[in-house]
Amino acid sequence: KAGVTQTPRYLIKTRGQQVTLSCSPISGHRSVSWYQQTPGQGLQFLFEYFSETQRNKGNFPGRFSGRQFSNSRSEMNVSTLELGDSALYLCASSQQTVRGDEQFFGPGTRLTVL
Amino acid sequence: AQSVAQPEDQVNVAEGNPLTVKCTYSVSGNPYLFWYVQYPNRGLQFLLKYITGDNLVKGSYGFEAEFNKSQTSFHLKKPSALVSDSALYFCAVRDMSGNTPLVFGKGTRLSVIA
């Protein structure tokens, strides 16, 4: 089975721009979660989707949004980029037939905001 | 609210010696507990999890972890460290009872010295 894929792998944007990141989960996985990883803060939870419904949302401003499509692929969008948005954005998928299912992570998208 | 604490930012151990990476958690109900490892420039890889049953959980690459409910801990251990174990380790928790996301600790960097 192919793993979780994320595109693009690297992005450079300037302040004020917006960006869309994409995630394709492992085939058959219906749950997708997004995390922001920075050196000082570790992994911060952004969103969790299951069958196109947002099940949980982390403590991030409204500039951060996401969605999940019927094929379980997911996108997240960040509008009006700030310097502090520079981070590694990780997507993870799981079957979520039970809540104890482990998540499988993609390689991440490295976003740099100048 | 659920949370995870990894009290050590860095753990250094000599090759061949036993290693321990500490994790304590806080949830309102019973926990699902996970350990993940991150190698440089890669996403997170699942190591092991505790759902229920035996308190000693065995995982990938010879790692194991012990669930201690009274101390709310889930320390990661390995009897004999390898240089290739050097990486960033994350503990994560999810409350069994609620509709809550997976929450990660800030990570512990393990360095195994030859």
Side-chain angles (χ1 to χ4, degrees):
Chain A
K1 260 187 188 178
V4 178
T5 57
Q6 293 186 245
T7 56
R9 292 292 311 278
Y10 301 91
L11 267 178
I12 298 176
K13 293 286 187 178
T14 56
R15 278 182 299 175
Q17 288 187 308
Q18 76 165 23
V19 67
T20 299
L21 312 182
S22 181
C23 172
S24 292
I26 292 172
S27 177
H29 285 191
R30 295 163 64 190
S31 176
V32 172
S33 297
W34 289 89
Y35 299 87
Q36 181 194 66
Q37 184 179 11
T38 56
Q41 297 298 318
L43 268 79
Q44 305 267 72
F45 170 74
L46 280 157
F47 314 101
E48 181 184 21
Y49 291 92
F50 182 78
S51 294
E52 301 180 67
T53 300
Q54 186 178 88
R55 192 154 63 176
N56 283 295
K57 186 177 190 300
N59 189 25
F60 277 81
R63 300 185 296 107
F64 292 79
S65 62
R67 59 180 175 169
Q68 186 181 31
F69 302 96
S70 58
N71 61 359
S72 294
R73 194 176 68 84
S74 178
E75 289 181 347
M76 67 164 281
N77 185 77
V78 187
S79 62
T80 320
L81 284 166
E82 300 178 359
L83 295 179
D85 297 333
S86 295
L88 180 66
Y89 290 86
L90 292 166
C91 168
S93 75
S94 66
Q95 292 183 325
Q96 283 290 287
T97 53
V98 292
R99 304 282 291 176
D101 285 349
E102 60 267 29
Q103 295 184 350
F104 295 83
F105 282 79
T109 294
R110 173 76 62 186
L111 172 64
T112 302
V113 182
L114 302 175
Chain B
Q2 55 194 25
S3 65
V4 174
Q6 293 182 243
E8 301 154 318
D9 292 335
Q10 174 95 29
V11 170
N12 298 318
V13 64
E15 188 175 31
N17 282 2
L19 70 86
T20 298
V21 182
K22 295 180 181 177
C23 171
T24 57
Y25 66 90
S26 174
V27 294
S28 56
N30 290 314
Y32 293 125
L33 291 156
F34 303 82
W35 275 102
Y36 287 83
V37 60
Q38 186 178 37
Y39 297 101
N41 300 314
R42 296 176 68 174
L44 276 69
Q45 295 179 30
F46 169 75
L47 274 180
L48 51 80
K49 67 179 178 182
Y50 170 82
I51 296 180
T52 188
D54 196 350
N55 289 345
L56 184 63
V57 179
K58 295 187 183 295
S60 308
Y61 313 120
F63 284 94
E64 60 187 29
E66 185 163 13
F67 170 62
N68 187 318
K69 188 170 184 177
S70 63
Q71 297 185 4
T72 60
S73 68
F74 191 57
H75 302 329
L76 181 70
K77 299 184 179 186
K78 187 174 182 181
S80 178
L82 300 172
V83 171
S84 57
D85 293 330
S86 298
L88 189 56
Y89 290 81
F90 290 94
C91 180
V93 67
R94 188 167 202 156
D95 193 324
M96 246 185 237
S97 59
N99 181 27
T100 55
L102 186 63
V103 172
F104 284 81
K106 293 191 175 183
T108 298
R109 186 163 299 282
L110 172 68
S111 292
V112 181
I113 303 153

